[in-house]
Amino acid sequence: LIVKFADDTTNTGFISNNDETMYREEVANIDQWCDKNDLEWNVPKTKEMIIDFRRNEDPPPPLVVKGEVVERVDLFRFLGLMVSNKLTWEEQCDALLKKARQRIYFLNKLKSFHVNKGTLLTFYRALIESVVSQSITVWFTRANQADLYKLNRVIDNASKVIGCELPSLYDLYIQRIAKKTQKILKDDYHPAKKYFLKLKSGFRFRCFKGNQRFVNSCYPSAVKVFNGTSTRMCPL
C-alpha cells in the first residue's frame, strides 16, 4: 500500500480588473491534479485569504471546491508565520513574544541551579533567540515600535540573567538579512535576484521607490541594508 500526503500546498493568484478567471482556473487545475494522482482534497481544512488594500470594494464570490465553500479567513499560519490579510505583523509578534517569555522562565531556572554562563548562552541562542528572530527578515521592517520594544525587553531580560550583552533585535535583523542577501547574490537562478540591480559602480544596488508598503518589504529592505553596509560586505 502506497500512501501519498501533500501538505502546505499554496496557490497564489494576482487578480487585476476584478478578473478572477486565471485564479479560479488554477484552483480547478489543482483539483484535477489531485483526482488524477489519487489525492483527496481536504476542503474543510482549506483556507482562502484575500489581500486587498482598496476601500469600499465588495468581496468577490466565494471559492467552491467539490461543491463545498472554502472558508475565507483574515489570518492564518503559513510555515510558522502568522500572515494577516492586511500584511501587518501584530499577531506574529504577539505569538513570538508569548513563546519567548515562557522560555525566559526556564533560563531563570537554569541560573538558579548555578549553571555556567556558556551553557546559559547556548540555551538562550537555541531556544529564545531562535524564537524572537523567527522569520525576522519578513516582518521586522513592517512591525510597529511597540511590538519591537516588547521583544527587545525579552532580550534585555535574558542579558541580565546570563550576565553578558546580547545582540538586539535590530542586530539580529541586520545579520540575517545580510546573510540572505549574500545567498541570493551567489545564486543566479534565485527568483529574487531580479531585485538586486547593480549600479554602474558595481558596489551598490538600485534602491526602490514608490509604494511604501513595498519599499519596506523584505527584498527592497535587503537592498538598503546591503548599500548601507557595502564597505563591510564583498560585492559579487
Side-chain angles (χ1 to χ4, degrees):
L1 176 64
I2 299 176
V3 179
K4 296 186 290 184
F5 177 74
D7 194 16
D8 290 330
T9 302
T10 305
N11 177 48
T12 305
F14 179 74
I15 299 172
S16 179
N17 298 321
N18 292 321
D19 184 4
E20 301 181 30
T21 305
M22 293 183 63
Y23 167 64
R24 295 183 181 270
E25 286 179 352
E26 186 60 28
V27 173
N29 291 337
I30 296 175
D31 189 23
Q32 294 173 9
W33 185 90
C34 288
D35 291 339
K36 183 179 179 180
N37 291 273
D38 300 319
L39 286 173
E40 181 180 353
W41 188 325
N42 194 334
V43 180
K45 286 190 176 181
T46 302
K47 311 297 179 187
E48 181 187 40
M49 174 182 288
I50 298 175
I51 299 175
D52 188 355
F53 299 106
R54 298 175 301 174
R55 296 182 179 180
N56 303 322
E57 292 290 332
D58 294 329
L63 182 66
V64 179
V65 177
K66 296 188 180 302
E68 295 185 60
V69 176
V70 175
E71 180 185 1
R72 187 170 291 169
V73 297
D74 297 332
L75 177 75
F76 77 102
R77 183 183 294 275
F78 179 65
L79 299 178
L81 192 68
M82 300 297 293
V83 182
S84 77
N85 64 339
K86 297 301 181 184
L87 297 185
T88 56
W89 302 106
E90 286 86 352
E91 293 84 359
Q92 170 68 12
C93 291
D94 286 344
L96 298 183
L97 182 64
K98 182 179 179 180
K99 189 181 294 185
R101 281 175 172 171
Q102 291 172 344
R103 299 182 182 191
I104 283 288
Y105 168 80
F106 296 106
L107 184 66
N108 279 302
K109 276 293 183 183
L110 288 175
K111 178 72 171 181
S112 69
F113 296 146
H114 305 290
V115 174
N116 65 69
K117 184 182 293 187
T119 303
L120 293 176
L121 193 58
T122 299
F123 178 90
Y124 166 78
R125 287 176 174 167
L127 297 178
I128 300 176
E129 183 179 276
S130 62
V131 167
V132 297
S133 62
Q134 180 186 358
S135 304
I136 193 171
T137 56
V138 176
W139 55 262
F140 181 83
T141 54
R142 294 287 299 161
N144 62 53
Q145 291 300 313
D147 289 329
L148 295 180
Y149 174 78
K150 293 175 185 177
L151 289 168
N152 271 313
R153 286 281 295 173
V154 171
I155 296 175
D156 291 341
N157 290 338
S159 178
K160 293 175 183 177
V161 173
I162 298 173
C164 68
E165 187 176 354
L166 299 171
S168 68
L169 209 59
Y170 177 76
D171 294 332
L172 293 174
Y173 167 72
I174 293 297
Q175 293 172 12
R176 303 291 173 84
I177 201 69
K179 185 177 180 180
K180 187 175 185 66
T181 301
Q182 292 286 17
K183 183 178 180 180
I184 293 172
L185 295 179
K186 292 178 181 178
D187 184 359
D188 292 334
Y189 298 98
H190 197 288
K193 190 72 177 286
K194 63 182 179 181
Y195 295 109
F196 295 84
L197 303 175
K198 284 186 178 180
L199 297 174
K200 291 182 179 180
S201 65
F203 288 89
R204 294 169 64 85
F205 292 101
R206 183 172 299 163
C207 291
F208 290 84
K209 298 180 180 179
N211 185 286
Q212 200 63 27
R213 188 179 293 107
F214 171 69
V215 170
N216 289 335
S217 62
C218 180
Y219 296 124
S221 296
V223 169
K224 288 190 290 186
V225 171
F226 184 93
N227 287 341
T229 59
S230 58
T231 56
R232 290 177 283 157
M233 299 170 64
C234 299
L236 302 177

